[in-house]
Amino acid sequence: MLVRPALLPSWPPRLEDLFGRAGPLVLEIGFGDGRFAAELAKAHPGWLLLGAEVSAGSVVRALRRLRREGVENVRLYHGQGPFALRNLVPERSLLQVIVNFPDPWPKKRHRGRRLLQESFFRRLSTRLGEGGALLLTTDHEEYFRFALEEAERTGLYRVEVRPPPETHLRTKYALKWEAAGRGFFHAVFTKVAEDPSPWPPIRRYPVAHALLEGNLPESLPFRKTPVPLRKGMAVFLEVARGEEGAYVLTRVEEEDLVQELLLEVRESERGLYAGVSRFGSPLITDGVRQAVAALVRLLEPLGLKVVQDHTGEGLR
Ligand SMILES: C[S@@+](CC[C@H](N)C(=O)[O-])C[C@H]1O[C@@H](n2cnc3c(N)ncnc32)[C@H](O)[C@@H]1O
């Protein structure tokens, strides 16, 4: 039920990898407590519903609901909607994208955080099938007008403003705003053309590690060390010492993917191993490989010598 990108058998995944079968695909971004996804999936048992949600608490609540209600045709991804759109959705495969009550980010300085921006609509056009559409429902008139303008600027959509379907007004937030006496806005953005720029899935690598020679010092002075990446940022947050070596809690931020993972420097049969711990099944991306390479670079002045480098950053 929960999609773990690092554990998928093929990359990018096929619908069969995600759902066990092919079928019409619908993506819901920001599914909250999952009640809309559950209802939609039950109303269309032949459809395949992928949900993306950044809040861990909401993902847990939605998973419980789907299990309780015996819903089989939904898969949930814990993370950014654009990440799911880019990496889990095959090109030209989507029948619909549902966005119910997106966070409005009303302050001017936060507008860049809004989901429904021109760049999003452009990229979305590469994942929608022919005649595929995004359905937006919101109580926030200013964000609604903003989304209409952003989509219209692309020239890739036919936009129709309609009364919201009754089913879209039964979500947690719809009921909350109805009780507060707010009005609702709904639009259907139907794809009529496609952005010509390709949007390939993020690259997933099989390994990122190095082997070193020497004695690992008792403590590693890497706590709160920032590591600039070619596209993003990593930080070594904490270092813990275990019996076999040291573990470095690392945050890696790349575009629409943020991962917290453990890097490890530990004794192995072939020498001192510096690489990504399997704990948490992180996705080995270019940023993760660069973070491992940065760790190795910091180990060298402590008297360790690199003998094999599989970080993708070369043996120096
Ligand atoms: C206002 S709530 C609406 C929840 C639900 N759709 C409803 O109508 O009850 C917005 C939801 O979107 C989620 N969210 C915000 N930005 C997101 C993103 N980029 N990707 C996925 N989920 C996101 C939030 O965590 C939150 O659960």
Side-chain angles (χ1 to χ4, degrees):
M1 283 267 186
L2 194 64
V3 177
R4 307 287 293 272
L7 301 180
L8 288 164
S10 60
W11 190 260
R14 302 167 314 133
L15 286 184
E16 288 83 350
D17 298 329
L18 293 172
F19 292 91
R21 65 175 167 93
L25 181 65
V26 173
L27 171 68
E28 183 180 6
I29 300 180
F31 53 74
D33 67 3
R35 68 180 83 174
F36 181 86
E39 290 307 314
L40 189 69
K42 284 189 279 185
H44 301 278
W47 287 9
L48 308 173
L49 201 82
L50 176 64
E53 169 60 60
V54 290
S55 152
S58 294
V59 172
V60 171
R61 280 187 287 280
L63 278 172
R64 283 205 195 113
R65 175 188 299 277
L66 295 169
R67 202 162 299 152
R68 197 169 59 236
E69 299 185 12
V71 181
E72 302 278 352
N73 50 336
V74 179
R75 298 291 178 273
L76 302 183
Y77 168 69
H78 176 211
Q80 296 284 343
F83 177 91
L85 188 65
R86 176 181 179 185
N87 299 295
L88 304 176
V89 169
E91 284 179 358
R92 303 187 191 113
S93 67
L94 279 168
L95 179 69
Q96 279 183 10
V97 174
I98 311 283
V99 183
N100 288 327
F101 301 91
D103 289 339
W105 297 109
K107 290 188 183 145
K108 214 169 184 173
R109 67 174 191 278
H110 290 156
R111 289 234 173 111
R113 299 185 190 176
R114 286 179 167 174
L115 176 71
L116 301 177
Q117 330 207 0
E118 182 178 345
S119 57
F120 173 85
F121 280 111
R122 289 197 173 282
R123 289 167 161 184
L124 170 68
S125 71
T126 67
R127 298 301 190 264
L128 284 171
E130 205 177 320
L134 180 142
L135 278 63
L136 165 67
T137 307
T138 178
D139 60 297
H140 200 278
E141 184 167 8
E142 192 273 318
Y143 186 17
F144 185 67
R145 304 273 159 233
F146 172 89
L148 296 183
E149 279 168 23
E150 294 287 301
E152 263 157 22
R153 195 170 308 137
T154 68
L156 302 173
Y157 295 87
R158 185 178 68 248
V159 182
E160 293 158 275
V161 174
R162 298 181 188 162
E166 199 271 322
T167 48
H168 294 234
L169 298 182
R170 293 204 296 254
T171 75
K172 181 176 167 189
Y173 273 79
L175 297 177
K176 177 174 163 177
W177 297 136
E178 187 183 33
R182 300 262 269 264
F184 297 115
F185 304 90
H186 180 79
V188 179
F189 303 81
T190 306
K191 167 179 165 177
V192 293
E194 193 168 304
D195 190 84
S197 317
W199 195 35
I202 197 170
R203 199 159 158 206
R204 184 178 81 166
Y205 296 87
V207 289
H209 68 254
L211 290 173
L212 302 106
E213 276 173 2
N215 292 323
L216 185 64
E218 207 33 56
S219 74
L220 297 176
F222 304 157
R223 190 167 176 264
K224 291 193 178 157
T225 305
V227 177
L229 306 176
R230 279 188 288 274
K231 285 185 189 166
M233 186 76 196
V235 188
F236 299 142
L237 297 167
E238 295 284 348
V239 182
R241 188 73 204 216
E243 262 177 32
E244 288 180 3
Y247 298 88
V248 185
L249 177 62
T250 306
R251 183 179 169 88
V252 180
E253 299 185 1
E254 303 163 88
E255 208 176 345
D256 42 31
L257 179 65
V258 178
Q259 302 192 86
E260 286 196 350
L261 49 108
L262 283 182
L263 302 186
E264 57 189 17
V265 191
R266 60 167 170 78
E267 300 294 343
S268 79
E269 282 166 13
R270 292 178 297 147
L272 208 53
Y273 168 97
V276 184
S277 162
R278 266 190 277 204
F279 178 80
S281 309
L283 192 65
I284 314 287
T285 58
D286 192 42
V288 171
R289 296 204 316 168
Q290 288 174 60
V292 175
L295 179 68
V296 171
R297 266 196 312 276
L298 290 172
L299 289 168
E300 283 175 304
L302 302 179
L304 299 171
K305 183 171 178 288
V306 181
V307 288
Q308 272 183 41
D309 189 325
H310 301 283
T311 64
E313 299 293 303
L315 186 63
R316 291 161 314 278

